[in-house]
Amino acid sequence: MCIRDRHNWTYSFNGQIAKTIYDNQGNTYQVGYFNTLTNFVDGTSLDANYTPNISYKDAYIIKLNDIGELQWSKIVSGEKHQYLENILFSVDGNIIAKGSTDDTAIFSDGSQLGSDGENDQDFIAKFDANSGDVLWKTLDESSTLNEHFNLHAILSNGDILFFENYSNENTNGIKKLNSSNGTITDVPLNGYISTDGITTLETDNNDNIYISSRDYTSTQDANLIKYDSNLNLLWEMTISDNGSGNNYAYINDIAYDEINDLIYVAGQAREA
């Protein structure tokens, strides 16, 4: 495993990267997994963490500072496979990670999660960004968090909304994570209509949520829709394409300019 950072340093150890994120102080946070052993320093066995069974993998989460020095490392271990697959920042600056375990997972503080004999148990855990200590952890088997973790909106009150790529009124997949305690609840649809092929989303300083998706009435069109934090629809914009030659309108990315309170949208409509 090798991290090449924006600050012109390289950090290597034995492991497989799953996701890396950076804070505004230049610190690097990474999750992944390793097999057999790693010491998160130089790839040797000195002070290394070993997997209990060489046939299985353990998960890791690490923090490096802005000059590539290891600040802390934590593992999630057990008799079979453990993975940490994705991470994001909560509004308080700490880290929320998505993972899975076969059998019981054992965290660095000795606490456990999951059940013996059960494979592919999905979980969410929060780690202190300063120390790596586990703040809370919870099992969650919903497809929303486990398959669409990147489709999220972080609100100023600490709640995080997760959206499924496709959903409807009968299979509402919108979940709310209380980042202070790990409680996960269903979210009422209210005026929500972005149910067909979400591509990206963004929030503004007022917790409004901008979601791009396929148009639910015309497959060659794309929608940009603004909701409030309770998913009440505020306005809707359609980007059209005539659809000839299998061309479709598509929104690739949305970015919020908090200084000027503007939304920037990048996409394509080849024959608009």
Side-chain angles (χ1 to χ4, degrees):
M1 199 288 318
C2 180
I3 304 173
R4 289 182 173 83
D5 189 77
R6 300 167 294 181
H7 302 285
N8 298 317
W9 50 259
T10 300
Y11 193 88
S12 299
F13 60 89
N14 176 41
Q16 179 62 48
I17 299 170
K19 182 66 179 288
T20 305
I21 59 176
Y22 307 89
D23 65 20
N24 56 15
Q25 282 81 46
N27 297 305
T28 301
Y29 303 83
Q30 185 181 97
V31 293
Y33 58 88
F34 67 94
N35 180 247
T36 307
L37 67 93
T38 189
N39 63 2
F40 302 108
V41 177
D42 57 11
T44 70
S45 60
L46 180 65
D47 297 324
N49 298 277
Y50 287 82
T51 58
N53 187 320
I54 62 173
S55 298
Y56 296 103
K57 300 175 178 67
D58 280 354
Y60 73 81
I61 178 170
I62 64 168
K63 177 183 179 179
L64 308 176
N65 66 14
D66 61 348
I67 58 173
E69 297 172 333
L70 181 68
Q71 302 301 289
W72 51 257
S73 62
K74 303 291 181 179
I75 66 170
V76 185
S77 186
E79 291 298 322
K80 295 184 179 180
H81 289 307
Q82 284 76 41
Y83 298 98
L84 287 175
E85 301 149 341
N86 213 329
I87 45 174
L88 57 82
F89 291 112
S90 57
V91 74
D92 59 9
N94 291 310
I95 306 298
I96 293 176
K98 180 183 80 71
S100 63
T101 179
D102 294 344
D103 222 63
T104 300
I106 304 171
F107 289 75
S108 290
D109 61 1
S111 62
Q112 300 184 6
L113 189 67
S115 302
D116 291 343
E118 295 289 334
N119 292 332
D120 197 24
Q121 301 170 84
D122 298 308
F123 64 84
I124 306 293
K126 184 174 184 179
F127 297 87
D128 187 294
N130 293 317
S131 65
D133 293 341
V134 178
L135 300 177
W136 53 254
K137 55 191 179 300
T138 185
L139 293 171
D140 177 72
E141 298 298 333
S142 70
S143 62
T144 306
L145 273 72
N146 296 310
E147 298 177 18
H148 307 286
F149 190 81
N150 287 328
L151 293 176
H152 62 262
I154 302 173
L155 305 181
S156 60
N157 66 356
D159 290 340
I160 305 175
L161 302 183
F162 293 88
F163 300 82
E164 282 196 337
N165 186 264
Y166 293 91
S167 62
N168 57 52
E169 64 275 7
N170 297 318
T171 59
N172 175 25
I174 305 173
K175 303 292 182 182
K176 179 172 70 176
L177 171 67
N178 182 327
S179 66
S180 65
N181 60 23
T183 301
I184 300 171
T185 55
D186 292 330
V187 177
L189 286 177
N190 294 332
Y192 183 77
I193 58 173
S194 301
T195 57
D196 190 4
I198 295 177
T199 55
T200 188
L201 58 85
E202 179 66 289
T203 56
D204 65 21
N205 285 338
N206 297 310
D207 284 343
N208 296 308
I209 304 168
Y210 304 82
I211 297 179
S212 67
S213 65
R214 306 297 323 148
D215 187 281
Y216 54 93
T217 60
S218 174
T219 57
Q220 67 263 27
D221 294 340
N223 281 337
L224 175 62
I225 301 177
K226 179 180 180 179
Y227 302 95
D228 66 17
S229 59
N230 294 314
L231 298 184
N232 295 301
L233 193 153
L234 300 179
W235 53 253
E236 175 184 0
M237 178 184 298
T238 299
I239 297 91
S240 297
D241 192 297
N242 65 19
S244 64
N246 293 319
N247 293 325
Y248 303 99
Y250 192 86
I251 296 174
N252 300 95
D253 201 7
I254 307 171
Y256 176 61
D257 176 359
E258 62 181 15
I259 296 176
N260 299 301
D261 194 30
L262 295 172
I263 287 288
Y264 296 89
V265 179
Q268 63 190 34
R270 293 191 181 94
E271 300 186 20

